[in-house]
Amino acid sequence: MAFFLRDKQEVGYVWPAILAVLVHAVVVMFSVINLEGKDAEPESSSIVHATLVSTETYTNQAQQVNDDQAAMSASSQSPPEPPPQEAPAPPSRPLEEAVIDQAEELAADRDTQALEQARAEAEAQAQRRAEEAERQALEAAAREAERAEQQAEEQRRREELARQEQEAEAQRRRKEEQARQAQETEEQRRREEEQARQAQEAEEQRRREEEQARQAQEAAETERQRRLEGQAEAAANARQAEQAANSFISIVRRAVEQAWLIPGGASDTMSATVQVRLGPSGEVLATSVATSSGDSAFDRSAIQAVEHAAPFTELRELSSEQQRNLRQFNLRFTPGDVR
């Protein structure tokens, strides 16, 4: 409405100014006609007597029209003010009244057209403004819808991102769980393998121990058999050595008995022991009285009997061990027997 009043006011000032110019043009035209009439004599009498219309009068009337238009324009904005009191216009002639009436009609028509044009323009502008406001409202609604769509899209992106993050976290947890289970399975497999290895080592150790025990038992049995065989052999050797020794001692005793000359006066109670040491071939290396009879002649006869009976070559027929055992022995001499 403010825009309409402003346009109406602007139009009200333009058209009165144009009307004033037209009124001045009409006044000048009539003035020129009157001046030509005074210079030439009239051929006939005129029924219309034209006189010069004062420029000031018409100017005042145009100004009055302008003031009226301004008052009409201002009346739409503020309460009407009472028109200023003017001096009564002097009585005008018929021509002046016709011109004034025509000017007023023309001004009224122009003002009506101006008002209608201003109203039409104001309505058109109001329509344009309404359309512009509607367009802006539509654009604002479109922008708001676009912003809402962007917010919804952003919300969807955030939700999608959150969902992807949740899926990634769930995937990561599943992978961690799978890795943990795989690690536990691997550790369980290693433990089982270690237990199997330990069991195998224990079985091998048991077998080794059994083998060692068996071997030890066999060795012990072998050693026992060897000892038994050794003992048997030793016993046999001992028996054989004893037999050989007894046989050799018997030979030596017989040979010494044959070679002993018992001194006269020796009694059966006398006894002497002679220690004999032989060489490898049975020769006598040394003789000595181990136990004296108390009679030197008796003791000397016993030594001489051993020396005369030597060498004892039977010693070479015996084994080296038997020879070592028989290379030194004792002989006891009594008159009744030689032992």
Side-chain angles (χ1 to χ4, degrees), residues 192-236:
E192 292 176 355
E193 289 180 353
E194 181 65 20
Q195 292 175 356
R197 186 185 62 79
Q198 292 177 356
Q200 185 177 1
E201 290 181 353
E203 180 65 19
E204 291 177 356
Q205 180 66 24
R206 184 186 63 79
R207 291 177 182 178
R208 285 194 297 269
E209 291 177 353
E210 289 180 354
E211 182 65 20
Q212 291 175 358
R214 185 184 63 79
Q215 292 177 357
Q217 184 177 1
E218 290 179 355
E221 183 66 21
T222 301
E223 180 64 21
R224 188 177 66 82
Q225 293 292 336
R226 189 184 63 79
R227 285 198 302 269
L228 291 176
E229 292 176 359
Q231 292 174 0
E233 184 179 0

Side-chain angles (χ1 to χ4, degrees), residues 264-305:
S267 63
D268 294 337
T269 59
M270 291 181 177
S271 178
T273 301
V274 177
Q275 186 179 22
V276 180
R277 189 162 62 87
L278 301 177
S281 300
E283 69 275 13
V284 176
L285 298 178
T287 58
S288 62
V289 178
T291 303
S292 176
S293 62
D295 185 354
S296 59
F298 187 85
D299 295 340
R300 189 169 50 252
S301 65
I303 290 173
Q304 290 175 353

Side-chain angles (χ1 to χ4, degrees), residues 1 65 87 165 215 218 227 231 256 272 339:
M1 179 61 70
V65 172
E165 290 178 353
Q215 292 177 357
E218 290 179 355
R227 285 198 302 269
Q231 292 174 0
V256 171
R339 298 180 183 175

Side-chain angles (χ1 to χ4, degrees), residues 74-332:
S75 63
S76 61
Q77 296 180 354
S78 62
E81 295 180 359
Q85 297 295 328
E86 295 182 355
S92 60
R93 297 175 180 181
L95 179 60
E96 294 176 352
E97 292 176 357
V99 171
I100 292 171
D101 292 338
Q102 185 178 2
E104 289 178 354
E105 292 177 0
L106 180 61
D109 294 337
R110 296 291 185 181
D111 188 42
T112 301
Q113 294 176 359
L115 290 174
E116 291 178 354
Q117 184 177 0
R119 184 180 297 107
E121 292 180 355
E123 291 177 355
Q125 188 170 4
Q127 182 67 24
R128 288 194 298 273
R129 287 180 176 275
E131 293 176 354
E132 180 66 19
E134 184 179 0
R135 185 184 62 80
Q136 292 178 356
L138 292 175
E139 291 179 354
R143 287 194 297 271
E144 184 65 24
E146 183 178 1
R147 184 164 54 253
E149 180 65 23
Q150 291 177 354
Q151 292 177 354
E153 182 65 23
E154 183 66 22
Q155 181 65 23
R156 286 194 297 272
R157 284 197 298 269
R158 287 196 296 268
E159 292 176 355
E160 180 65 20
L161 182 60
R163 186 185 63 78
Q164 292 177 357
E165 290 178 353
Q166 291 178 356
E167 290 181 355
E169 180 66 18
Q171 182 68 19
R172 183 185 64 80
R173 290 180 179 177
R174 285 194 297 272
K175 289 182 178 179
E176 290 180 353
E177 181 65 20
Q178 292 174 358
R180 185 184 63 80
Q181 292 178 357
Q183 184 177 3
E184 291 179 355
T185 303
E186 181 65 18
E187 291 178 355
Q188 180 66 24
R189 184 185 63 80
R190 290 178 180 176
R191 286 194 296 269
E192 292 176 355
E193 289 180 353
E194 181 65 20
Q195 292 175 356
R197 186 185 62 79
Q198 292 177 356
Q200 185 177 1
E201 290 181 353
E203 180 65 19
E204 291 177 356
Q205 180 66 24
R206 184 186 63 79
R207 291 177 182 178
R208 285 194 297 269
E209 291 177 353
E210 289 180 354
E211 182 65 20
Q212 291 175 358
R214 185 184 63 79
Q215 292 177 357
Q217 184 177 1
E218 290 179 355
E221 183 66 21
T222 301
E223 180 64 21
R224 188 177 66 82
Q225 293 292 336
R226 189 184 63 79
R227 285 198 302 269
L228 291 176
E229 292 176 359
Q231 292 174 0
E233 184 179 0
N237 292 333
R239 288 193 299 270
Q240 184 179 1
E242 185 179 1
Q243 292 174 359
N246 293 331
S247 177
F248 178 71
I249 292 299
S250 297
I251 292 172
V252 170
R253 188 171 58 243
R254 285 194 301 269
V256 171
E257 286 179 353
Q258 292 177 1
W260 183 31
L261 296 176
I262 300 174
S267 63
D268 294 337
T269 59
M270 291 181 177
S271 178
T273 301
V274 177
Q275 186 179 22
V276 180
R277 189 162 62 87
L278 301 177
S281 300
E283 69 275 13
V284 176
L285 298 178
T287 58
S288 62
V289 178
T291 303
S292 176
S293 62
D295 185 354
S296 59
F298 187 85
D299 295 340
R300 189 169 50 252
S301 65
I303 290 173
Q304 290 175 353
V306 173
E307 291 176 353
H308 290 158
F312 305 105
T313 56
E314 293 80 5
L315 182 64
R316 290 179 296 184
E317 298 176 358
L318 301 175
S319 63
S320 58
E321 185 177 358
Q322 291 175 349
Q323 289 179 10
R324 286 192 301 270
N325 293 330
L326 295 175
R327 286 179 64 180
Q328 184 174 348
F329 52 88
N330 294 332
L331 290 176
R332 186 167 64 87

Side-chain angles (χ1 to χ4, degrees), residues 29-75:
M29 181 182 66
F30 279 107
S31 297
V32 171
I33 293 172
N34 291 330
L35 288 176
E36 291 179 353
K38 288 181 180 183
D39 292 337
E41 291 181 358
E43 294 180 356
S44 61
S45 61
S46 176
I47 59 175
V48 178
H49 297 279
T51 58
L52 177 65
V53 179
S54 176
T55 304
E56 181 180 1
T57 302
Y58 286 101
T59 303
N60 292 334
Q61 291 176 358
Q63 182 65 36
Q64 180 65 34
V65 172
N66 292 333
D67 293 339
D68 293 339
Q69 294 294 329
M72 291 175 63
S73 300
S75 63

